[in-house]
Amino acid sequence: MKKIVKIFFIVFLLIFVVNFFYYLLSPTRVAVINISGLITPNTASPICDQLRQAQKDPMYSAILLKINSPGGDAAQSEKIYYLVKQIDEKKPVVALIDSIGASGAYFAALGARKIVTYPASLTGSIGVIFEGINAYKLANKIGIEDFVVKSGDVKDAGNPLRKPTKSDKEMIFSVVESVYNQFLDAVASSRHINIEKLKPLADGRVFTGQMALKYNLIDSIGGFDAAKAYLQKYTGKKNLKFVELSDSYPGVSNLFGLSSIKNLLDISKTPSLQMIFK
C-alpha cells in the first residue's frame, strides 16, 4: 500500500512540474469574447458572464472584445459598457470591430482601452430610437375597439390601437433623450471629445472605420494586427495566444495538474468553459 501511495505521489509531482513549466513558458493568453448579432437580455447575459470569468481567471492577461453587431437593447449595451470599463482598470481590454459595431455595440466598445476597426468596418450610429406599429386606422375600419382602464394619460403610450397623443410623444421623447444623453456622455468621456463637437456626429449616422478614425471615434483601422499590437504593448509580451471562451479551454486548475490527473485516472468531472458559457 505504501508503495502505491509513493508511486501516486511521484506521478502527481511529475504532472505538477510539467504543468508548471508548461504554463510558465507558454504564450501569454488573451481571452476572446464575441459580441455577435443583436444585443438583447438573452445575448448580453453570457457576454457579461464571460467578461467576469476572464477578469477573475489569472491565466488570462488581457481581453479582446470582438464585435460584429448592429447594436440592440440600450440598457444591455450600457451594462456591457460599464462592465468592460470596470475590467479595463485592472486587465487591459481592446475592442475589435469586424464588419459592424454600431449603436449599442459601439456603446459597449467604449469601455475598452482601445477601439480598432478595419477601414471599411461600419461603426457609429450614435443615437436612440423608439419605434412601433400603429394600426388604429385599420382597427377602426374593421370594427375593432380598444378597451383600456388606466391610471394616467400616458400609461398606455405606444398602444397600437389608438392614435398617439401629444402627451404620448412628449413622454416617449423625454425617455429617448435621456438615454441619448447617457450615450453622448459615454462617447465624450471615453473618446475625449467635447459634447458640442460630438453632437453633429451623433445624429444616428454610420461611419466607415476610415471616417471614424478622422473624427476620433476609434483609435486605429489596422484590424486584428493593430489590436494585437496594442495587447502586446499592454501585456509587455510579444508571444500571445488568443483563446475564445466558447472553446473548451483548461482553467487555472491545470497549473496544479488536476486536469491531467483527471484525464489519467478519470476521478472527477469538471465542466469546461464551453459548458459553462453555452
Side-chain angles (χ1 to χ4, degrees):
M1 186 65 184
K2 289 183 178 179
K3 190 174 182 181
I4 293 173
V5 172
K6 187 177 180 181
I7 292 172
F8 182 84
F9 177 77
I10 292 171
V11 171
F12 179 88
L13 188 62
L14 285 172
I15 291 171
F16 173 80
V17 171
V18 169
N19 276 275
F20 177 80
F21 281 103
Y22 170 77
Y23 282 105
L24 189 66
L25 301 174
S26 63
T28 298
R29 285 165 175 75
V30 175
V32 179
I33 297 172
N34 290 288
I35 299 179
S36 301
L38 286 175
I39 298 173
T40 68
N42 286 338
T43 60
S45 181
I47 290 169
C48 290
D49 287 343
Q50 291 180 32
L51 283 165
R52 294 187 188 97
Q53 180 67 20
Q55 178 189 25
K56 293 176 183 176
D57 195 333
M59 299 311 299
Y60 299 113
S61 300
I63 298 171
L64 176 65
L65 198 62
K66 195 174 178 183
I67 300 172
N68 195 19
S69 165
D73 186 284
Q76 300 304 317
S77 302
E78 191 173 44
K79 183 167 75 171
I80 297 171
Y81 158 74
Y82 280 119
L83 182 55
V84 171
K85 187 176 180 181
Q86 174 192 330
I87 291 171
D88 185 66
E89 293 175 359
K90 297 180 179 179
K91 191 172 284 191
V93 183
V94 172
L96 171 61
I97 294 173
D98 197 356
S99 295
I100 182 169
S103 194
Y106 177 66
F107 198 160
L110 290 169
R113 194 170 303 187
K114 296 291 181 182
I115 302 176
V116 179
T117 74
Y118 293 94
S121 300
L122 293 180
T123 188
S125 190
I126 302 166
V128 182
I129 185 171
F130 176 94
E131 58 183 0
I133 295 174
N134 189 274
Y136 86 96
K137 288 183 179 180
L138 177 62
N140 288 339
K141 282 184 179 180
I142 61 179
I144 296 177
E145 285 190 25
D146 184 34
F147 176 73
V148 177
V149 178
K150 55 186 179 180
S151 59
D153 290 340
V154 295
K155 183 60 180 175
D156 67 335
N159 185 339
L161 296 181
R162 71 167 176 81
K163 185 177 181 179
T165 65
K166 182 181 179 182
S167 296
D168 291 341
K169 293 177 181 178
E170 287 176 350
M171 187 276 289
I172 292 171
F173 179 76
S174 68
V175 173
V176 168
E177 188 175 39
S178 175
V179 178
Y180 173 67
N181 286 331
Q182 293 171 45
F183 199 166
L184 274 182
D185 288 342
V187 178
S189 62
S190 296
R191 302 305 308 166
H192 308 291
I193 305 173
N194 181 276
I195 286 280
E196 295 308 313
K197 289 184 178 180
L198 177 61
K199 282 183 178 179
L201 306 174
D203 58 0
R205 71 182 70 188
V206 295
F207 305 96
T208 64
Q210 197 170 44
M211 296 164 67
L213 182 64
K214 176 183 174 183
Y215 297 123
N216 194 37
L217 296 175
I218 63 167
D219 296 288
S220 172
I221 55 174
F224 177 77
D225 289 340
K228 182 179 179 180
Y230 281 128
L231 290 165
Q232 287 173 327
K233 175 184 175 182
Y234 296 137
T235 60
K237 303 290 184 180
K238 291 291 182 182
N239 191 12
L240 302 180
K241 182 177 181 179
F242 293 86
V243 182
E244 291 202 18
L245 293 193
S246 57
D247 293 336
S248 179
Y249 178 68
V252 70
S253 61
N254 252 10
L255 181 61
F256 302 102
L258 296 181
S259 181
S260 297
I261 291 175
K262 169 187 169 296
N263 292 335
L264 289 173
L265 305 177
D266 198 27
I267 59 173
S268 66
K269 190 174 183 180
T270 305
S272 69
L273 289 173
Q274 184 179 21
M275 295 177 187
I276 294 170
F277 296 128
K278 269 191 175 179

